[in-house]
Amino acid sequence: MYKMGESKNIEELWKDIEGFEGYYQVSNFGNVKSLEREVWNNWNKTYHKRKSVLLIQDSDRPYKSVCLSKKGKKITKNVHRLVANAFCQNVYNKREVNHIDGNKTNNFADNLEWVTSSENQKHAVDNNLQPEQYGEKNPFSKLKESDIHSIRAIRKEKGLSHQKIADMFSVDRKTIGNVLNGKTW
């Protein structure tokens, strides 16, 4: 695998961007270019647009993006997804694109792969890109550590059903079962 800035004797290949055929192309190096064409302006006149490599934008997220325009409509696309759509096979129809080296700005085709959400999260944890988040640190957690102690105490002392405890804490019955069986927390 080559990295950004490395000089290799690998040819830059260009492919049409799906939905923007004849307007834009993306390369296996993570570049995007506008193709030469006639364009209508706001005064119903045409002008000749020369081909040019587009400026890749830094978005508020860590991913690089680019603004594409067709028939007066503009849309912003993440470059890594454009590259993966054009150059990376997705035989299992996975929905997320993973940066193999963990660098979200390295959009070379051989640094990208299609993955499931769980594969993407596992890759991030395995490569220390995102620490595992247990308990209250997990942004999806509905319970606090003090709630867990209370749930276990209520079950032990009062013998209430999972459903009654779930109603007390406004969570699903399965959540209580997972807490009591040690599957979570």
Side-chain angles (χ1 to χ4, degrees):
M1 178 187 334
Y2 46 93
K3 297 179 181 167
M4 293 183 338
E6 270 189 30
S7 64
K8 293 283 182 182
N9 293 330
I10 297 175
E11 182 182 357
E12 186 169 20
L13 304 173
W14 293 90
K15 290 187 179 181
D16 285 332
I17 294 175
E18 188 178 329
F20 292 89
E21 294 85 354
Y23 288 79
Y24 298 97
Q25 289 184 332
V26 64
S27 82
N28 57 325
F29 288 7
N31 295 314
V32 178
K33 71 179 175 183
S34 175
L35 298 176
E36 191 169 327
R37 62 186 183 274
E38 296 297 318
V39 178
W40 287 89
N41 65 17
N42 293 337
W43 301 278
N44 285 331
K45 300 216 179 208
T46 61
Y47 67 94
H48 185 79
K49 182 169 180 66
R50 289 189 248 182
K51 68 179 178 178
S52 63
V53 175
L54 299 181
L55 178 65
I56 305 294
Q57 304 167 2
D58 285 321
S59 61
D60 56 347
R61 297 179 62 213
Y63 301 108
K64 301 287 186 179
S65 64
V66 67
C67 185
L68 306 178
S69 177
K70 182 178 175 183
K71 298 182 181 176
K73 294 183 180 182
K74 292 183 179 183
I75 187 165
T76 301
K77 297 277 194 176
N78 285 330
V79 174
H80 68 285
R81 292 194 66 86
L82 295 175
V83 174
N85 280 328
F87 294 97
C88 301
Q89 289 187 347
N90 189 8
V91 292
Y92 298 110
N93 295 319
K94 296 181 179 183
R95 301 181 93 176
E96 295 187 16
V97 178
N98 180 45
H99 289 81
I100 296 166
D101 70 357
N103 179 355
K104 291 177 173 66
T105 63
N106 182 356
N107 293 317
F108 281 94
D110 71 345
N111 185 50
L112 303 174
E113 65 182 345
W114 288 99
V115 294
T116 64
S117 180
S118 61
E119 288 169 338
N120 208 6
Q121 291 170 3
K122 183 177 181 338
H123 177 266
V125 170
D126 290 349
N127 292 283
N128 295 320
L129 302 172
Q130 176 183 331
E132 291 187 69
Q133 297 174 329
Y134 293 110
E136 291 178 45
K137 292 179 181 176
N138 184 324
F140 300 107
S141 177
K142 294 181 179 181
L143 300 170
K144 298 183 182 209
E145 189 170 352
S146 59
D147 295 332
I148 301 306
H149 295 298
S150 297
I151 288 167
R152 290 180 177 148
I154 289 169
R155 177 68 173 174
K156 186 175 182 180
E157 295 167 13
K158 298 184 180 179
L160 295 178
S161 70
H162 290 195
Q163 186 60 57
K164 286 190 179 184
I165 299 172
D167 293 341
M168 291 171 63
F169 290 89
S170 300
V171 295
D172 188 82
R173 178 186 58 78
K174 282 179 131 180
T175 301
I176 300 301
N178 287 337
V179 166
L180 295 172
N181 292 325
K183 290 183 180 177
T184 56
W185 287 85

